[in-house]
């Protein structure tokens, strides 16, 4: 069942159809909340986002992509969480699913790749918030510029400039080896 069919069936009262959407996008929504600053509270953010998405499903524009619409709700909920707790959450990225560029039998290559990854993640954590959000959406979540603009509720030009500035800072701080 594709997203459009799941949405139509959900609107008609089919709870199982909405469960299909939840199952399809839970991992991405959790990763998004976590990477945008929800930290250990990402699960709560995701649950609230899915509840809000369900409540507002009648206002969803039919045949529009569901993923960016949902991720915008997740981003808004994450922003509300970080704002309400009055401090900026530590950004922690889970890269266990990321394949290592080193061969499994190459301990030196594995160590070097781990060090590079740690340096990059620390540099991403130190980016100004808008640049961090743009870089996370574009490169860690692999969203298009248009999807990133929709998720963050920014103009596409702002996404482009924030991404460009963020990448420039990362290159300057971490070095061109990561580029």
């Amino acid at each position: 069942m594709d997203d459009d069919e799941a949405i139509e069936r959900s609107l008609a009262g089919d709870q199982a159809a909405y469960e299909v959407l939840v199952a399809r996008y839970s991992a991405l929504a959790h990763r998004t909340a976590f990477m945008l600053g929800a930290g250990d509270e990402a699960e709560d953010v995701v649950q609230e986002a899915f509840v809000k998405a369900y409540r507002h499903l009648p206002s969803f524009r039919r045949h529009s992509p569901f993923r960016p619409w949902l991720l915008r709700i997740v981003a808004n909920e994450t922003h509300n969480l970080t704002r309400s707790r009055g401090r900026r959450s530590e950004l922690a990225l889970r890269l266990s699913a990321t394949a290592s560029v080193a061969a499994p039998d190459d301990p030196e290559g594995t160590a070097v790749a781990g060090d590079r990854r740690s340096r990059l993640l620390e540099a991403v954590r130190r980016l100004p918030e808008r640049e961090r959000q743009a870089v996370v959406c574009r490169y860690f979540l692999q969203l298009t510029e248009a999807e990133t603009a929709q998720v963050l509720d920014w103009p596409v030009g702002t996404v482009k400039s924030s991404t460009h500035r963020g990448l420039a800072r990362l290159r300057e701080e971490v070095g061109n080896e990561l580029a």
Side-chain angles (χ1 to χ4, degrees):
M1 165 180 347
D2 68 8
D3 288 355
D4 289 336
E5 181 182 352
I7 290 166
E8 291 299 324
R9 289 175 55 183
S10 295
L11 288 168
D14 183 353
Q15 293 290 322
Y18 193 69
E19 289 173 15
V20 168
L21 293 170
V22 171
R24 184 173 295 151
Y25 293 109
S26 283
L28 178 61
H30 189 272
R31 202 168 47 245
T32 301
F34 194 85
M35 294 172 78
L36 290 179
D40 294 336
E41 297 173 274
E43 187 63 36
D44 294 336
V45 167
V46 169
Q47 286 179 1
E48 184 63 28
F50 275 112
V51 168
K52 282 191 176 181
Y54 184 76
R55 256 190 268 140
H56 292 96
L57 206 52
S59 67
F60 175 73
R61 285 188 308 224
R62 303 299 190 285
H63 308 293
S64 295
F66 180 75
R67 181 177 80 152
W69 182 75
L70 174 67
L71 294 181
R72 180 174 178 184
I73 295 170
V74 171
N76 287 341
E77 286 301 306
T78 303
H79 177 72
N80 291 343
L81 171 75
T82 57
R83 187 182 61 210
S84 70
R85 67 183 176 205
R87 60 181 167 76
R88 196 167 169 178
S89 264
E90 183 68 25
L91 173 66
L93 302 173
R94 296 181 185 175
L95 293 177
S96 59
T98 303
S100 175
V101 293
D105 60 342
D106 180 12
E108 180 182 357
T110 301
V112 169
D115 179 59
R116 289 175 63 193
R117 185 177 307 123
S118 295
R119 287 178 36 221
L120 174 62
L121 294 177
E122 187 56 39
V124 169
R125 285 185 190 104
R126 288 191 301 267
L127 286 174
E129 184 176 1
R130 289 179 72 85
E131 293 171 15
R132 178 175 46 85
Q133 290 175 328
V135 168
V136 163
C137 286
R138 289 286 290 127
Y139 295 98
F140 289 93
L141 299 176
Q142 299 178 340
L143 299 177
T144 66
E145 286 176 344
E147 290 171 330
T148 299
Q150 187 175 359
V151 167
L152 298 175
D153 196 21
W154 297 351
V156 173
T158 302
V159 170
K160 288 179 181 183
S161 62
S162 295
T163 303
H164 177 77
R165 281 193 305 272
L167 291 176
R169 284 184 204 264
L170 289 174
R171 282 188 197 100
E172 188 177 297
E173 188 171 329
V174 180
N176 289 325
E177 74 207 45
L178 297 173

